[in-house]
């Protein structure tokens, strides 16, 4: 890890040092398996069939990925752990996110659904044995004001020390969604603290020599508020794991000792997942879907493109938006839905 001025950089070569020999063998094997998918994709694009071949190839990949994850207790894939009855909904949701025809508003909607599913799997399913009653006031007043009783999982012990750690930009809305779920389920309406990290990949580089740069001047966090806490990172895509490892290693080097770390993704690549659990012993990776490989530019295949751009729109050249502009661009519907989270983020930035 290089620290120059107010920027912290980690390189792909450093990340590969965390991988075991068995990890490298698995990554090489799944890359070879994916070659059949590439050939099928070329056939489909050329109008020469290929659909049956693609189904067969990706079926083999899915089985292999499941066999790998079964041996990794800190990598959790929704469709490998949840009941089969729930797989179709998750699969269709990811398909809609992949679709190039899914527009901006729809993409936001499906990201919200994805993180609601993930929250249920990570938190409420684990709290089902301990439920509490809530009494809900209703609008009905005849013959008197009506109230209803609902039993919900008690997630307080799982969420009370959580801090949402935002890897800007694509992780902003997912972090707000998880925070909102915590607020809605907690007994006291907990609004999680936020820590904001401006980190970017060097897009001029390839996957094999990629650099990850944490800009401290454009980040907003307090070491003391992170020490001993449950750090929650919610990022739609986990390709290489480089951004998370850069941030966590920097925090540790400055005395932060997290109680736990959760990395919550819609899609995670095998390589990124393995790198993270090797580099960060206290981290667990939770992903709705696992994709097999990366291309030369470190994008996930099959993937869904640039999730940050599809969530937030593209910045104008030479004019990146700041935090407040990003939130404003979500529009009134999103900012009103996550009003408490927006206020907490504004406090984090402005203080």
């Amino acid at each position: 890890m290089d620290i120059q001025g107010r920027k912290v950089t980690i390189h792909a070569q450093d990340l590969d040092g965390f991988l075991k020999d068995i990890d490298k063998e698995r990554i090489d094997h799944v890359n070879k398996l994916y070659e059949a998918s590439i050939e099928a994709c070329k056939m489909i694009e050329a109008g020469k069939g290929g659909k049956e071949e693609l189904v067969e190839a990706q079926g083999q990949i899915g089985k292999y990925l499941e066999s790998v994850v079964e041996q990794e207790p800190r990598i959790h894939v929704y469709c490998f752990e949840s009941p089969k009855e729930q797989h179709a909904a998750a699969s269709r949701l990811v398909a809609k996110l992949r679709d190039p025809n899914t527009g901006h508003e729809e993409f936001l909607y499906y990201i919200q659904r994805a993180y609601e599913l993930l929250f249920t799997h990570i938190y409420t399913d684990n709290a089902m044995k301990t439920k509490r009653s809530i009494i809900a006031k209703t609008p009905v007043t005849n013959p008197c004001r009506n109230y209803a009783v609902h039993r919900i999982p008690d997630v307080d012990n799982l969420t009370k020390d959580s801090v949402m750690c935002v890897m800007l930009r694509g992780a902003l809305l997912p972090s707000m969604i998880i925070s909102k779920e915590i607020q809605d389920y907690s007994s006291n309406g907990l609004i999680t603290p936020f820590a904001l990290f401006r980190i970017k990949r060097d897009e001029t580089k390839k996957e094999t020599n990629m650099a990850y740069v944490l800009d401290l001047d454009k980040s907003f966090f307090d070491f003391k508020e992170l020490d001993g806490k449950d750090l929650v990172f919610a990022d739609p895509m986990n390709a290489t794991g480089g951004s998370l490892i850069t941030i966590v290693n920097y925090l540790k080097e400055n005395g932060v000792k997290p109680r736990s770390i959760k990395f919550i993704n819609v899609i995670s690549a095998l390589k990124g997942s393995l790198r993270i659990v090797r580099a960060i012993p206290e981290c667990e990776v939770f992903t709705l879907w696992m994709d097999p490989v990366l291309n030369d530019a470190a994008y996930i295949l099959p993937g869904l493109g640039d999730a940050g751009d599809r969530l937030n729109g593209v910045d104008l050249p030479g004019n990146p938006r700041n935090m407040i502009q990003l939130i404003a661009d979500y529009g009134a519907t999103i900012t009103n839905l996550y009003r408490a989270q927006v206020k907490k983020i504004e406090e984090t930035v402005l203080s």
Side-chain angles (χ1 to χ4, degrees), residues 110-172:
Y110 289 119
I111 285 290
Q112 288 175 285
R113 284 186 57 189
Y115 274 97
E116 288 164 2
L117 275 181
L118 284 163
F119 181 87
T120 297
H121 186 57
I122 298 165
Y123 291 101
T124 62
D125 287 353
N126 287 320
M128 288 298 289
K129 293 181 181 179
T130 54
K131 291 186 177 181
R132 62 184 178 83
S133 297
I134 58 173
I135 298 176
K137 182 178 180 179
T138 85
V140 179
T141 58
N142 186 4
C144 66
R145 171 68 66 183
N146 272 245
Y147 295 83
V149 176
H150 294 273
R151 297 278 290 165
I152 65 169
D154 188 352
V155 303
D156 283 1
N157 286 334
L158 301 176
T159 60
K160 63 181 180 181
D161 291 316
S162 298
V163 178
M164 297 308 305
C165 298
V166 184
M167 300 192 296
L168 301 173
R169 297 182 300 142
L172 178 59

Side-chain angles (χ1 to χ4, degrees), residues 54-96:
L54 184 64
V55 170
E56 174 64 23
Q58 298 213 353
Q60 290 185 19
I61 290 170
K63 291 177 181 177
Y64 181 71
L65 291 175
E66 186 169 7
S67 71
V68 171
V69 171
E70 282 178 352
Q71 302 172 59
E72 300 296 335
R74 291 188 289 119
I75 300 177
H76 307 272
V77 180
Y78 181 90
C79 287
F80 296 163
E81 294 185 345
S82 59
K84 290 187 181 296
E85 293 79 6
Q86 299 175 19
H87 294 184
S91 186
R92 184 59 184 155
L93 197 160
V94 174
K96 293 296 290 184

